[in-house]
């Protein structure tokens, strides 16, 4: 996976922690396994758009926040 996948993964992890959510809870909300979320957070697997939207809602972040490099 590339740098963009790693940046997105880092933003996912940052948002999850800021929202006070555990991986298990967040993964269930996204409809994936905890291992799947871990792979996303470490940029080792591409994130599905539908799951990203679910996680953004769970974390209270707009989708654009995950891609805005200035906000990072």
């Amino acid at each position: 996976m590339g740098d963009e996948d790693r940046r997105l993964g880092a933003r996912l992890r940052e948002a999850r922690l800021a929202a006070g959510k555990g991986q298990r809870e967040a993964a269930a909300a996204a409809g994936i396994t905890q291992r799947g979320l871990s792979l996303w957070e470490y940029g080792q697997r591409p994130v599905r758009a539908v799951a990203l939207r679910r996680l953004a809602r769970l974390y209270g972040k707009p989708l654009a926040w995950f891609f805005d490099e200035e906000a990072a």
Side-chain angles (χ1 to χ4, degrees):
M1 306 306 324
D3 288 341
E4 289 182 11
D5 293 304
R6 283 188 285 281
R7 278 193 297 272
L8 176 55
R11 294 306 299 251
L12 282 169
R13 190 170 44 259
E14 178 184 349
R16 178 177 58 76
L17 294 173
K21 307 293 183 188
Q23 273 191 343
R24 196 169 284 140
E25 177 185 4
I32 61 166
T33 65
Q34 181 180 355
R35 171 86 172 129
L37 180 58
S38 178
L39 291 172
W40 286 350
E41 288 186 356
Y42 287 95
Q44 296 174 345
R45 180 183 291 171
V47 180
R48 296 183 327 208
V50 171
L52 179 58
R53 186 177 64 207
R54 288 180 190 148
L55 290 172
R57 285 185 193 144
L58 178 68
Y59 301 156
K61 301 283 186 190
L63 279 173
W65 183 87
F66 293 93
F67 302 98
D68 184 359
E69 294 180 17
E70 288 186 23

